[in-house]
């Protein structure tokens, strides 16, 4: 009995010991996890403090290298490049210079470990590359920022949209602050800056029909026109537009939002004047905005759009020497990944569609940040284009797909967005999956073209109504169903994807998307994407090369939207040249060797969606004497148009049916040219396109001549399906780095983390 009790006590003791050991092990595990979490928190805290210290180092360097120079001038002297060069030589030595003799302690936990600057001198500017390393708790972060001291920095980049003439856009457009749109923090409601649209010459707005919303202000220096008033300008007084709305703005320029983050709508009404006759601040609409600095009471509006590449001889083209000097004064970065396919000058792109792999251009661009020729860039989800600073291309750039990193791509000639070109973001806007900044800019010495710029619209027009060239009548027997112009009636209906057969509304566009028109056969080949098997229909079209000689023009067909806009731009240039013999006109044509067309004097400009041989003219040799010709097409046809059309077709067929949150045709970045920018997004209802008539740009637009055709799929659903969505990203302001002619200023580039050797 006693032995049994002893055995039981021994067994219990073993259980107690085992339990105690298990609990001790569990306690040790908890302590270990707590210690790991504590170390993780401490590491995170140290990393953040190191980043703050590195950022503070950049500010310290700016104070040493710029603020001290400005302070040394006093009030009597103006900053100039020669004086600053002398100041810099006294302060620094050429090459890499250490700004700190010893680490600079900021707090007991953080310090600026090192602060270095690389100096690059040129004839018209000085570039400083500042490298700041912050340290805290054994962790380090290194921040890099460029400082450019040169001509007065162009201030127009704080506009979401800046152009000479604004037309055919503001009836289906939404303009907002991208930070506000992506915000989910209720404590930040009402803290986001308004957005601005700047118009230097004239603009067209909708008074009654259509819809547009601007989360801020439109500044227009010239006159404004509405579609219901033709070429008669709007009155400056008592103007209010039902079809174009603004959002309420606070006295300090913030977008007013309610407790749910919804902006307060307001009618876009003309701003008032103060007692001195100057514009009151923070209004939604200004017409006749002043051009004198002291009179711009609601902020600066430039008087012109300077070229991305300085035009030192003022001939309006990028000459060899200008390009050489421009690139020589830059600090190129490179492209680390993605598909990079180069086509040297004089060669032709041989692939049938987009390239599937890089050629030798990837190594060249990754090492030098430069390519002498034409470049095709393709990014995928798994292999995005990795932009590592600025890249310079002596030719055309064609791009599509995912892009990550920070920097800009500058093309001496044209930039083409072949399809969606988006930041490769993770969960947060403007941030990669690895937590790095995504921010890209695109600057062209020539033109920027978004999407299928060759589309022939081919509308049937009501030719019995000579006052309206916009195709109201469709069901007329002469132009439907008799086979005289369109072939069989069923082919007509199937090819255009519409079965109503009664009439087309004024703004409806019956042309199907695929537009594979063949100039050699005088045909447009339309494809019906609604069927599993492609159904193609051939229709006559207007030959872009000889528009005024085409018998189809006065039978209701129009050439491409691009041609329509070029005629408007060319008409304005011809008028300027006529008024000022010293003016160098810049005329546009579709491709090298094409004729140059313009609307005739007196032809309507602000309300002229269609035209015929009576309203247009071919410019003569005498008209073109002394002018500059810019081509929309690739240089010397290095990318065949048949290949471009196949790329656009592949892009369309590869698109999934649009979801509610999709943005249609999507482009992220700052887009800059002082020439033409053309963008098209075809609709599903009238073109059977999955782009759904939507073009969404997150960044900013600056273009001297701007034409965007993105009318949305259904204007009754504007909130969920607008045409053009422009979400301004304030981060782009230091990205392009364009300078004006006069004065001296500091331009700060984008601040980024250099992971290099930092711990």
């Amino acid at each position: 009995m006693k032995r049994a009790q002893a055995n039981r006590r021994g067994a219990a003791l073993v259980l107690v010991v085992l339990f105690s050991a298990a609990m001790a092990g569990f306690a040790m595990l908890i302590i270990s996890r707590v210690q790991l979490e504590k170390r993780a928190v401490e590491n995170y805290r140290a990393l953040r403090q190191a980043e703050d210290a590195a950022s503070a180092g950049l500010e310290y360097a700016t104070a040493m290298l710029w603020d001290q120079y400005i302070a040394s001038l006093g009030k009597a002297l103006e900053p100039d490049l020669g004086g600053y060069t002398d100041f810099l030589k006294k302060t620094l030595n050429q090459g890499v210079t250490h700004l700190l003799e010893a680490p600079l302690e900021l707090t007991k936990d953080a310090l600026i470990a090192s602060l270095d600057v690389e100096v690059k001198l040129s004839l018209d500017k000085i570039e400083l590359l500042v490298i700041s390393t912050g340290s805290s708790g054994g962790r380090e972060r290194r921040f890099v920022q460029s400082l450019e001291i040169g001509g007065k920095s162009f201030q127009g980049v704080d506009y979401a949209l800046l152009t000479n003439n604004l037309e055919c856009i503001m009836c289906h457009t939404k303009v907002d602050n991208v930070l506000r749109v992506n915000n989910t923090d209720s404590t930040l409601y009402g803290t986001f800056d308004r957005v601005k649209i700047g118009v230097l010459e004239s603009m067209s707005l909708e008074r009654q029909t259509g819809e547009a919303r601007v989360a801020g202000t439109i500044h227009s220096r010239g006159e404004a026109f509405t579609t219901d008033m033709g070429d008669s300008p709007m009155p400056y007084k008592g103007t209010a537009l039902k079809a174009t709305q603004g959002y309420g703005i606070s006295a300090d320029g913030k977008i007013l939002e309610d407790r749910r983050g919804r902006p307060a709508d307001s009618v876009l009404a003309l701003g008032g004047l103060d007692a001195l006759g100057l514009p009151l601040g923070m209004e939604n609409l200004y017409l006749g905005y002043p051009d004198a600095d002291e009179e711009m009471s609601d902020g600066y509006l430039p008087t012109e759009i300077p070229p991305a590449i300085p035009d030192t001889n003022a001939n309006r083209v990028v000459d060899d020497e200008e390009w050489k000097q421009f690139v020589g004064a830059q600090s190129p970065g490179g492209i680390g990944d993605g598909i990079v396919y180069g086509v040297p000058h004089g060669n032709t792109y041989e692939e049938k569609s987009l390239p599937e792999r890089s050629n030798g251009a990837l190594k060249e661009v990754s090492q030098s940040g430069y390519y002498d020729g034409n470049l095709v860039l393709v990014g995928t989800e798994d292999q995005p284009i990795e932009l590592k600073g600025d890249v310079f291309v002596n030719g055309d750039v064609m791009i599509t797909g995912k892009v990550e990193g920070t920097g800009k791509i500058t093309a001496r000639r044209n930039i083409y967005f072949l399809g969606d070109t988006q930041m490769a973001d993770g969960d947060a806007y403007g941030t990669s999956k690895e937590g790095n900044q995504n921010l890209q800019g695109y600057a062209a010495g020539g033109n920027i073209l978004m999407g299928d710029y060759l589309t022939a619209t081919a509308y049937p027009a009501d030719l019995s109504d000579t006052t309206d060239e916009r195709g109201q009548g469709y069901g007329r027997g002469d132009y439907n169903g008799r086979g005289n112009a369109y072939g069989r009636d069923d082919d007509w209906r199937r090819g255009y994807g519409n079965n109503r057969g009664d009439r087309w509304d004024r703004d409806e566009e019956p042309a199907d998307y695929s537009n594979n028109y063949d100039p050699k056969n005088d045909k447009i080949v339309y494809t019906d994407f609604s069927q599993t098997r492609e159904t193609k229909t051939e229709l006559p079209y207007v030959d872009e090369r000889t528009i005024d000689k085409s018998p189809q023009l006065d039978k209701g067909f129009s050439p491409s939207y691009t041609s329509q806009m070029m005629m408007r731009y060319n008409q304005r240039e011809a008028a300027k040249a006529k008024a000022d013999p010293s003016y160098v006109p810049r005329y546009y044509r579709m491709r090298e060797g094409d004729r140059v067309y313009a609307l005739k004097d007196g032809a309507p400009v602000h309300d002229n969606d269609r035209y015929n041989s009576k309203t247009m003219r071919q410019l003569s040799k005498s008209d073109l004497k002394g002018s500059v010709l810019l081509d929309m097409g690739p240089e010397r046809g290095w990318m065949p148009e048949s290949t471009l059309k196949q790329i656009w077709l592949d892009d369309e067929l590869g698109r999934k049916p649009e979801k509610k949150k999709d943005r249609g045709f999507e482009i992220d970045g700052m887009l800059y040219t002082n020439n033409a920018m053309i963008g098209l997004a075809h609709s599903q209802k009238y073109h059977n396109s999955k782009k759904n008539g939507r073009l969404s740009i997150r960044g900013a637009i600056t273009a001297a001549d701007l034409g965007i055709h993105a009318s949305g799929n259904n204007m009754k659903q504007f909130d969920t399906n607008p045409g053009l969505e422009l979400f301004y990203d304030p981060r782009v302001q230091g990205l392009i780095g364009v300078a004006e002619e006069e004065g001296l200023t500091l331009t700060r580039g984008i601040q980024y983390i250099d992971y290099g050797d930092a711990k």
Side-chain angles (χ1 to χ4, degrees):
M1 183 69 178
K2 292 181 178 179
R3 181 178 298 176
Q5 291 176 345
N7 289 338
R8 285 195 294 270
R9 287 196 296 270
L13 180 60
V14 170
L15 291 174
V16 170
V17 171
L18 291 174
F19 179 75
S20 298
M23 291 301 295
F26 183 67
M28 291 297 294
L29 179 62
I30 292 177
I31 292 172
S32 177
R33 287 186 176 180
V34 169
Q35 289 176 340
L36 286 174
E37 291 179 0
K38 182 180 179 181
R39 283 197 294 269
V41 170
E42 290 175 348
N43 284 336
Y44 179 80
R45 178 172 175 270
L47 193 60
R48 296 284 80 78
Q49 288 182 332
E51 290 183 355
D52 290 342
S55 182
L58 297 179
E59 297 299 326
Y60 184 80
T62 302
M64 289 183 62
L65 301 173
W66 178 252
D67 294 347
Q68 288 186 12
Y69 166 67
I70 295 300
S72 69
L73 296 176
K75 297 181 179 180
L77 299 176
E78 291 292 330
D80 66 86
L81 194 60
Y84 183 76
T85 302
D86 293 339
F87 164 82
L88 201 62
K89 288 179 179 178
K90 294 177 182 177
T91 308
L92 304 173
N93 295 318
Q94 184 74 9
V96 178
T97 302
H98 304 292
L99 297 181
L100 297 179
E101 295 182 358
L104 179 62
E105 185 174 308
L106 300 176
T107 68
K108 64 178 182 178
D109 298 323
L111 54 85
I112 303 173
S114 64
L115 191 58
D116 301 327
V117 60
E118 297 178 12
V119 183
K120 187 175 183 180
L121 302 176
S122 62
L123 294 176
D124 58 348
K125 64 181 177 182
I126 297 174
E127 287 185 288
L128 308 174
L129 188 68
V130 181
I131 306 163
S132 173
T133 303
S135 177
S136 176
R139 302 304 303 271
E140 289 187 351
R141 269 292 187 256
R142 187 164 61 204
F143 279 15
V144 180
Q145 185 175 47
S146 63
L147 306 178
E148 182 179 299
I149 293 87
K152 183 180 178 183
S153 178
F154 178 59
Q155 300 178 51
V157 291
D158 64 348
Y159 281 83
L161 189 157
L162 181 68
T163 186
N164 285 338
N165 298 280
L166 185 68
E167 55 195 357
C168 194
I169 293 177
M170 295 304 296
C171 59
H172 35 67
T173 294
K174 181 185 293 185
V175 187
D176 209 330
N177 185 319
V178 72
L179 303 181
R180 189 197 75 80
V181 171
N182 288 291
N183 174 54
T184 58
D185 185 350
S186 60
T187 64
L188 297 179
Y189 292 162
T191 65
F192 299 99
D193 291 333
R194 65 171 176 170
V195 296
K196 300 190 296 180
I197 294 176
V199 184
L200 306 187
E201 294 181 11
S202 68
M203 65 177 176
S204 297
L205 297 172
E206 290 287 339
R207 182 190 294 266
Q208 301 292 341
T209 61
E211 191 166 4
R213 293 181 184 172
V214 180
T217 304
I218 298 178
H219 296 84
S220 178
R221 181 158 287 132
E223 296 178 317
F225 304 80
T226 61
T227 55
D228 63 328
M229 297 179 68
D231 277 359
S232 298
M234 291 166 46
Y236 279 14
K237 296 182 179 180
T239 296
L241 303 170
K242 295 180 181 179
T244 306
Q245 294 183 332
Y247 290 160
I249 308 169
S250 67
D252 60 347
K254 307 299 181 183
I255 301 169
L256 297 177
E257 297 178 275
D258 64 18
R259 61 182 183 178
R260 296 183 180 180
R262 296 174 301 190
D265 290 341
S266 65
V267 175
L268 195 72
L270 187 65
L273 303 177
D274 63 16
L276 299 177
L278 301 179
L280 296 173
M282 301 304 163
E283 302 281 1
N284 288 122
L285 174 63
Y286 297 96
L287 299 180
Y289 196 71
D291 55 9
D293 288 356
E294 64 274 11
E295 296 180 356
M296 299 186 204
S297 50
D298 192 57
Y300 180 78
L301 177 64
T303 56
E304 62 180 9
I305 298 174
I309 302 162
D311 184 16
T312 55
N313 60 8
N315 68 348
R316 305 190 76 173
V317 294
V318 183
D319 299 315
D320 290 343
E321 187 61 28
E322 291 171 341
W323 175 253
K324 181 180 178 181
Q325 290 184 2
F326 170 72
V327 174
Q330 306 302 314
S331 299
I335 295 178
D337 205 353
I339 298 174
V340 181
Y341 195 99
V343 180
H345 294 295
N347 289 12
T348 302
Y349 181 77
E350 301 291 347
E351 304 292 324
K352 301 303 180 184
S353 189
L354 289 173
E356 297 181 354
R357 61 185 60 86
S358 299
N359 61 7
L362 174 58
K363 182 178 180 180
E364 183 175 344
V365 177
S366 66
Q367 293 178 348
S368 67
Y370 180 83
Y371 188 74
D372 187 16
N374 304 296
L375 211 56
V376 182
L377 303 174
V378 181
T380 64
E381 290 282 355
D382 298 330
Q383 191 183 12
I385 300 164
E386 184 186 9
L387 193 58
K388 303 171 69 175
D390 297 342
V391 173
F392 304 90
V393 180
N394 185 20
D396 294 325
V397 172
M398 295 189 176
I399 185 170
T400 185
K402 296 290 185 178
V403 187
E404 69 177 8
T406 297
K408 71 173 183 292
I409 296 175
T410 301
R412 178 176 175 180
R413 204 171 174 278
N414 296 343
I415 295 179
Y416 302 82
F417 291 93
L418 301 177
D420 294 344
T421 306
Q422 308 157 288
M423 293 185 293
D425 284 345
D427 295 332
Y429 169 77
T431 304
S432 70
K433 297 175 182 178
E434 295 74 25
N436 303 323
Q437 176 177 257
N438 279 337
L439 182 62
Q440 295 96 37
Y442 303 91
N447 308 306
I448 294 180
L449 297 111
M450 298 172 279
D452 178 5
Y453 67 93
L454 291 173
T455 298
T457 50
Y459 313 80
D462 180 3
L463 301 179
S464 64
D465 182 359
T466 59
T467 63
D468 186 2
E469 301 293 338
R470 297 192 295 174
Q472 283 184 293
Y474 166 69
R476 314 263 174 153
D478 289 343
Y479 294 95
N480 181 28
R482 302 205 317 186
N484 58 337
Y486 307 127
R488 299 197 315 274
D489 185 46
D490 58 340
D491 279 350
W492 161 257
R493 294 173 185 275
R494 184 170 64 251
Y496 281 91
N498 187 292
N499 294 314
R500 295 188 306 168
D502 51 356
R503 62 180 292 274
W504 294 107
D505 190 68
R506 288 168 63 91
D507 293 320
E508 295 171 357
E509 300 174 7
D512 197 332
Y513 168 78
S514 71
N515 59 71
N516 275 331
Y517 62 90
D518 183 355
K520 295 181 180 178
N521 298 325
D522 290 342
K523 302 286 186 182
I524 309 169
V525 182
Y526 290 93
T527 302
D528 184 356
F529 297 108
S530 63
Q531 307 296 324
T532 303
R533 181 173 60 85
E534 297 176 18
T535 302
K536 296 190 175 182
T537 303
E538 292 187 351
L539 302 171
Y541 88 114
V542 177
D543 192 333
E544 298 276 1
R545 294 173 174 80
T546 55
I547 295 175
D548 56 340
K549 306 298 183 184
S550 173
Q552 301 299 332
L553 183 64
D554 291 334
K555 291 184 179 180
F557 288 90
S558 294
S560 65
Y561 173 77
T562 306
S563 287
Q564 297 179 34
M565 299 310 297
M566 287 193 300
M567 290 187 192
R568 298 188 189 196
Y569 306 152
N570 291 344
Q571 180 193 33
R572 292 193 177 101
E573 288 292 291
K576 292 177 181 179
K578 184 177 180 180
D580 180 5
S582 65
Y583 182 78
V584 178
R586 169 193 54 204
Y587 295 123
Y588 300 102
R589 60 186 180 183
M590 189 66 77
R591 58 187 72 78
E592 186 176 359
D594 280 8
R595 299 177 181 182
V596 181
Y597 297 96
L599 296 177
K600 290 182 178 180
D601 293 340
V605 175
H606 301 283
D607 185 21
N608 186 55
D609 292 343
R610 312 290 178 268
Y611 46 85
N612 56 32
S613 59
K614 297 180 181 179
T615 61
M616 57 175 285
R617 67 186 179 99
Q618 178 188 345
L619 297 185
S620 65
K621 290 183 179 180
S622 61
D623 293 325
L624 299 177
K625 186 178 180 180
S627 68
V628 172
L629 299 179
L630 294 185
D631 298 334
M632 295 293 177
E635 181 182 23
R636 298 182 181 178
W638 69 268
M639 172 69 78
E641 290 184 359
S642 59
T643 307
L644 277 175
K645 294 167 189 174
Q646 185 62 50
I647 291 172
W648 294 324
L649 182 61
D650 292 343
D651 173 75
E652 181 64 38
L653 294 175
R655 288 178 177 270
K656 298 178 181 179
E658 185 182 18
K659 299 178 181 178
K660 185 175 181 180
K661 293 184 179 180
D662 287 345
R663 297 182 288 131
F665 186 9
E666 305 177 13
I667 298 174
D668 293 337
M670 170 74 193
L671 313 182
Y672 189 100
T673 176
N674 78 324
N675 295 308
M677 187 182 299
I678 303 289
L680 295 100
H682 303 294
S683 68
Q684 190 278 329
K685 188 172 184 180
Y686 302 113
H687 301 79
N688 221 351
S689 168
K690 299 185 186 74
K691 292 187 182 73
N692 233 19
R694 300 181 67 180
L695 173 60
S696 180
I697 298 174
R698 300 187 300 185
I701 292 174
T702 299
D705 297 318
L706 179 65
I708 293 180
H709 198 297
S711 56
N713 197 44
N714 188 345
M715 293 312 298
K716 295 181 180 179
Q717 300 174 358
F718 177 81
D719 286 333
T720 58
N721 190 13
L724 171 65
E725 289 180 301
L726 176 56
F727 299 121
Y728 177 64
D729 188 339
R731 301 179 303 157
V732 305
Q733 294 188 25
L735 193 58
I736 296 298
V738 177
E740 294 181 352
E741 295 297 327
E742 298 178 357
L744 188 69
T745 189
L746 168 71
T747 301
R748 303 180 66 161
I750 299 300
Q751 172 181 309
Y752 66 93
I753 301 175
D754 179 6
Y755 290 94
D757 298 326
K759 298 177 183 178

